[in-house]
Coordinates of all heavy atoms in Angstrom, one line a residue:
S156 N 6.0 3.6 -10.4 CA 6.8 3.9 -11.6 C 7.8 2.8 -11.9 O 8.3 2.6 -13.0 CB 7.5 5.2 -11.4 OG 8.4 5.2 -10.3
L157 N 8.2 2.0 -10.8 CA 9.2 0.9 -11.0 C 8.6 -0.3 -11.8 O 9.4 -1.0 -12.3 CB 9.7 0.5 -9.6 CG 10.5 1.5 -8.8 CD1 10.8 0.9 -7.5 CD2 11.7 1.9 -9.6
V158 N 7.3 -0.4 -11.8 CA 6.7 -1.6 -12.4 C 6.9 -1.5 -14.0 O 6.7 -2.6 -14.6 CB 5.2 -1.8 -12.1 CG1 5.0 -1.9 -10.6 CG2 4.3 -0.7 -12.7
S159 N 7.2 -0.4 -14.5 CA 7.5 -0.3 -15.9 C 8.7 -1.2 -16.3 O 8.9 -1.6 -17.4 CB 7.7 1.2 -16.3 OG 8.9 1.7 -15.7
L160 N 9.6 -1.4 -15.3 CA 10.8 -2.2 -15.5 C 10.5 -3.7 -15.6 O 11.4 -4.5 -15.9 CB 11.8 -1.9 -14.5 CG 12.3 -0.4 -14.4 CD1 13.2 -0.2 -13.2 CD2 13.0 0.0 -15.7
I161 N 9.3 -4.1 -15.2 CA 8.9 -5.5 -15.4 C 7.8 -5.6 -16.5 O 7.0 -6.5 -16.5 CB 8.4 -6.2 -14.1 CG1 7.3 -5.4 -13.5 CG2 9.6 -6.3 -13.1 CD1 6.6 -6.1 -12.3
T162 N 7.9 -4.6 -17.4 CA 7.1 -4.6 -18.7 C 5.6 -4.3 -18.5 O 4.8 -4.4 -19.4 CB 7.2 -6.0 -19.4 OG1 6.5 -7.0 -18.8 CG2 8.6 -6.4 -19.6
L163 N 5.2 -3.8 -17.3 CA 3.8 -3.4 -17.2 C 3.6 -2.0 -17.7 O 4.4 -1.1 -17.5 CB 3.4 -3.4 -15.7 CG 1.9 -3.2 -15.4 CD1 1.1 -4.4 -16.0 CD2 1.7 -3.1 -13.9
S164 N 2.5 -1.8 -18.5 CA 2.3 -0.6 -19.3 C 1.6 0.5 -18.4 O 0.5 0.9 -18.6 CB 1.5 -0.8 -20.5 OG 2.1 -1.8 -21.4
D165 N 2.3 0.9 -17.3 CA 1.8 1.9 -16.4 C 2.0 3.3 -17.0 O 2.4 3.5 -18.1 CB 2.4 1.8 -15.0 CG 3.8 2.2 -15.0 OD1 4.6 1.9 -15.9 OD2 4.2 2.9 -14.0
L166 N 1.8 4.3 -16.2 CA 1.9 5.7 -16.6 C 3.4 6.0 -17.0 O 3.6 6.6 -18.1 CB 1.5 6.7 -15.5 CG 1.7 8.2 -15.8 CD1 1.0 8.6 -17.1 CD2 1.1 8.9 -14.6
T167 N 4.3 5.6 -16.2 CA 5.7 5.8 -16.6 C 6.2 5.1 -17.8 O 6.9 5.6 -18.7 CB 6.7 5.4 -15.4 OG1 6.3 6.1 -14.2 CG2 8.1 5.6 -15.7
F168 N 5.7 3.9 -18.0 CA 6.0 3.1 -19.2 C 5.5 3.8 -20.4 O 6.2 4.0 -21.4 CB 5.4 1.7 -19.1 CG 5.7 0.8 -20.3 CD1 6.7 -0.1 -20.2 CD2 4.9 0.8 -21.4 CE1 7.0 -0.9 -21.3 CE2 5.1 0.0 -22.5 CZ 6.2 -0.9 -22.4
R169 N 4.2 4.3 -20.4 CA 3.6 5.0 -21.5 C 4.4 6.3 -21.8 O 4.6 6.7 -22.9 CB 2.2 5.3 -21.2 CG 1.3 4.0 -21.2 CD 1.3 3.3 -22.5 NE 0.4 2.2 -22.6 CZ 0.3 1.3 -23.5 NH1 1.2 1.3 -24.5 NH2 -0.6 0.3 -23.5
A170 N 4.8 7.0 -20.7 CA 5.5 8.3 -20.9 C 6.8 8.0 -21.6 O 7.2 8.8 -22.5 CB 5.8 8.9 -19.5
R171 N 7.6 7.0 -21.2 CA 8.8 6.7 -21.9 C 8.6 6.3 -23.3 O 9.4 6.6 -24.2 CB 9.6 5.6 -21.1 CG 10.1 6.1 -19.7 CD 10.5 4.9 -18.8 NE 11.6 4.2 -19.5 CZ 12.0 3.0 -19.1 NH1 11.4 2.4 -18.1 NH2 13.0 2.4 -19.7
Q172 N 7.5 5.5 -23.5 CA 7.2 5.0 -24.9 C 6.9 6.2 -25.8 O 7.4 6.3 -26.9 CB 6.0 4.1 -24.8 CG 5.7 3.3 -26.0 CD 4.5 2.3 -25.7 OE1 3.5 2.8 -25.3 NE2 4.7 1.1 -26.0
L173 N 6.1 7.2 -25.3 CA 5.8 8.4 -26.1 C 7.0 9.2 -26.3 O 7.2 9.8 -27.4 CB 4.7 9.2 -25.4 CG 3.3 8.7 -25.5 CD1 2.4 9.4 -24.5 CD2 2.8 8.8 -26.9
D174 N 7.9 9.3 -25.3 CA 9.1 10.1 -25.5 C 10.0 9.6 -26.6 O 10.5 10.4 -27.4 CB 9.8 10.2 -24.1 CG 11.1 11.0 -24.2 OD1 11.0 12.2 -24.7 OD2 12.1 10.6 -23.6

Side-chain angles (χ1 to χ4, degrees):
S156 61
L157 295 177
V158 304
S159 63
L160 300 174
I161 57 169
T162 72
L163 189 63
S164 301
D165 72 318
L166 177 54
T167 299
F168 183 94
R169 292 300 187 189
R171 292 169 58 196
Q172 194 177 51
L173 281 170
D174 182 43

